[in-house]
Amino acid sequence: MSTRKPLLPDVARRTAAWCGVLLLVAGVAAVAVWLCVALKTAVTPVLLALLGTALLGPVHRWLTAHKVNRSVAAGLTCAALVAVVGGAGYIVVTVMVDTGGQIVKSLKEAAQWVIDHFDIAGVADVDDLADNAKTLFEKFGASAAGGLLSGISLVGSLVATAVLALLLTFFFLRDSDRAAHLAHAVAPRGTGALVEAMGRRAFEAVEGFMRGTTFIALIDAFCITVGLLVLGVPGAVGLGALVFVGAYIPYLGAFISGAVAVLVALADQGLVIALWALGVVLAVQVLEGHVLQPVIQSRTVQMHPAMVMIALTAGASVAGLLGMLLAVPLCAAGFGVIGELRREADGPGEAVPEGP
């Protein structure tokens, strides 16, 4: 009896199967993103709390290792977070308010210098350009935060989000020892160990990213501030604060903050000092890319710059500035999960590492 010949060749059937899998994964991801956007009022504090927990986890573990009660340790850690973030925020805001006018003035002078020396025809007055840029920035900010604020004032929304994120950080730190039990409780039968391992890898990736980025941001801001102070660039401390904040948006933040520093130096000190400022910025970036990141973040998930830029673009399109801040750590967590799945596929049955 002759067997029936398949309608499609084996290659076509395999391709169709993979297309079906990709469509299914894309559909699930789209639904997940839609739910996150629809529930962003609740999702945003949870994500911020996870980032805070990842950053403060080592401090909490150190306290509990020294026989401090878990609740007391979580409270002390959150209090330290409020003191550090509040103090740093106050310093950054104060410095930017004090030097912001000077920086804006220098940027206008730099733009006028470029127009005059390169004989750019048909360009409007610098003040008009500044007004247009301000209008565009306001429109961008409104569109980026529009859905987030929906009917609530900006200050009220930020305060409510910060308070809720702080409370969630406290509970996440205090009850982190129960995470493994929760993973086994909610996972399908027989997959508890795998779910626990994936959760650990994802959290370790986010933890490494937050610690490494904060440390690198401090070093970058300190080095650039010292360099600008030596060169006599006005608003050096404010520009250093801008470098620190921008470091949490990889590549794009460093480029924007460095460009602002060079333009301010060009407007106030001339071309020679601007070139020296550019050299300082480039030297710090080389130090970061070839020394700091390989050493500090060597044990975390390493992502290609193209993947980082894609993640930043996707995050900005979904949630504006907040999406850009969250895109890279979430992407790092995703790569951590994929790495654990590959490890499980290559060597099933390996022991899951013990957590803190």
Side-chain angles (χ1 to χ4, degrees):
M1 182 176 179
S2 61
T3 58
R4 184 176 179 181
K5 186 177 180 179
L7 180 62
L8 295 175
D10 185 64
V11 174
R13 286 185 283 115
R14 288 178 179 273
T15 303
W18 275 109
C19 289
V21 172
L22 291 176
L23 287 175
L24 179 61
V25 172
V28 172
V31 172
V33 171
W34 179 81
L35 288 174
C36 289
V37 173
L39 302 174
K40 53 185 168 290
T41 306
V43 172
T44 300
V46 173
L47 295 178
L48 294 177
L50 287 175
L51 295 183
T53 304
L55 183 62
L56 299 173
V59 179
H60 183 263
R61 290 194 293 269
W62 183 84
L63 290 174
T64 54
H66 286 74
K67 309 303 181 182
V68 179
N69 180 270
R70 296 190 66 88
S71 297
V72 176
L76 292 175
T77 306
C78 291
L81 175 65
V82 172
V84 172
V85 173
Y90 175 79
I91 293 173
V92 170
V93 171
T94 302
V95 170
M96 293 303 294
V97 168
D98 292 340
T99 62
Q102 190 177 21
I103 293 175
V104 171
K105 180 182 177 182
S106 298
L107 288 177
K108 289 183 179 180
E109 294 175 356
Q112 191 63 54
W113 185 92
V114 172
I115 292 173
D116 295 339
H117 285 73
F118 288 92
D119 195 20
I120 301 177
V123 178
D125 184 74
V126 174
D127 292 333
D128 295 335
L129 292 177
D131 293 338
N132 293 334
K134 181 180 179 181
T135 302
L136 290 176
F137 177 79
E138 290 174 351
K139 289 182 178 179
F140 171 78
S143 63
L148 178 66
L149 302 178
S150 62
I152 307 176
S153 67
L154 175 61
V155 175
S157 177
L158 292 177
V159 170
T161 300
V163 171
L164 182 56
L166 182 64
L167 292 175
L168 289 174
T169 302
F170 170 81
F171 290 120
F172 289 168
L173 289 171
R174 189 192 68 177
D175 301 328
S176 57
D177 58 327
R178 305 179 186 178
H181 175 73
L182 178 63
H184 286 272
V186 301
R189 181 175 300 178
T191 62
L194 178 60
V195 172
E196 178 185 351
M198 290 191 299
R200 290 184 185 276
R201 283 292 297 272
F203 189 76
E204 287 172 0
V206 177
E207 191 176 65
F209 171 82
M210 290 300 297
R211 289 203 312 266
T213 300
T214 301
F215 191 57
I216 291 172
L218 286 172
I219 296 177
D220 287 355
F222 175 78
C223 293
I224 291 181
T225 301
V226 171
L228 296 178
L229 286 173
V230 171
L231 294 174
V233 177
V237 178
L239 293 171
L242 183 63
V243 170
F244 176 79
V245 175
Y248 285 93
I249 303 178
Y251 302 111
L252 184 60
F255 172 77
I256 294 176
S257 58
V260 171
V262 173
L263 288 175
V264 171
L266 174 64
D268 192 81
Q269 302 290 338
L271 181 60
V272 176
I273 299 299
L275 292 176
W276 277 104
L278 178 61
V280 170
V281 173
L282 292 178
V284 172
Q285 295 305 316
V286 170
L287 174 67
E288 174 187 337
H290 292 82
V291 178
L292 296 180
Q293 284 195 357
V295 172
I296 296 175
Q297 295 185 333
S298 59
R299 296 185 179 182
T300 63
V301 176
Q302 298 293 319
M303 291 184 292
H304 193 275
M307 182 59 66
V308 174
M309 296 305 296
I310 293 174
L312 290 175
T313 304
S317 64
V318 172
L321 183 60
L322 180 63
M324 295 178 71
L325 293 173
L326 296 174
V328 178
L330 291 179
C331 196
F335 273 94
V337 171
I338 294 174
E340 182 60 31
L341 289 175
R342 292 182 61 182
R343 187 199 64 80
E344 182 70 18
D346 293 339
E350 296 184 12
V352 177
E354 291 295 331

